[in-house]
Amino acid sequence: QGRLVESGGDLVQPGGSLRLSCAASGVIFSENTGGWYRQAPGKQREMVATITRGGNTNYAASVKGRFTISRDNAKNTVYLQMNSLEPEDTAVYYCIVRAPLPALTQYWGQGTQVTVSS
């Protein structure tokens, strides 16, 4: 079974940067779609960024130009580089892998807390 282990969440001041990491086992990022979602208190979970097996990326409008998703195939790890962080970015961030074969399966990480505050 696939397992995702997230790291990198922290308390950071507005304007600061963080890099989240998601290391996978039992599922290969480069053969599937990977990404990041986030959920803030009182809000719905929302897509932040995704990357397909072909390397195509997609971002939520609120993070375009500030966040970058990338993948290291050798390490089977997906990253989310977050720059110019704002208080509105405060949320629990979840890593996800969507594997369509042999049957559609979504693997979720445990979540990592990102808090942007002065």
Side-chain angles (χ1 to χ4, degrees):
Q1 294 185 354
R3 186 187 181 206
L4 309 179
V5 179
E6 299 155 317
S7 62
D10 206 350
L11 171 65
V12 64
Q13 294 184 340
S17 298
L18 286 173
R19 189 180 74 161
L20 306 183
S21 299
C22 178
S25 60
V27 61
I28 301 175
F29 274 122
S30 64
E31 296 181 356
N32 301 284
T33 295
W36 294 90
Y37 283 67
R38 68 185 182 186
Q39 187 166 25
K43 294 186 177 181
Q44 296 178 334
R45 185 174 297 186
E46 64 175 347
M47 187 275 291
V48 177
T50 60
I51 182 168
T52 70
R53 62 180 297 171
N56 181 260
T57 58
N58 187 36
Y59 298 92
S62 60
V63 307
K64 283 185 177 180
R66 298 189 297 119
F67 291 10
T68 303
I69 187 170
S70 62
R71 182 179 66 214
D72 187 328
N73 294 341
K75 296 181 178 179
N76 199 24
T77 299
V78 167
Y79 304 94
L80 184 67
Q81 179 66 47
M82 304 185 293
N83 299 325
S84 301
L85 284 163
E86 305 168 351
E88 292 74 20
D89 296 316
T90 296
V92 177
Y93 284 70
Y94 299 91
C95 182
I96 184 172
V97 173
R98 188 182 70 183
L101 298 173
L104 179 62
T105 304
Q106 294 186 151
Y107 301 95
W108 292 89
Q110 79 286 352
T112 184
Q113 177 71 50
V114 173
T115 302
V116 184
S117 176
S118 60

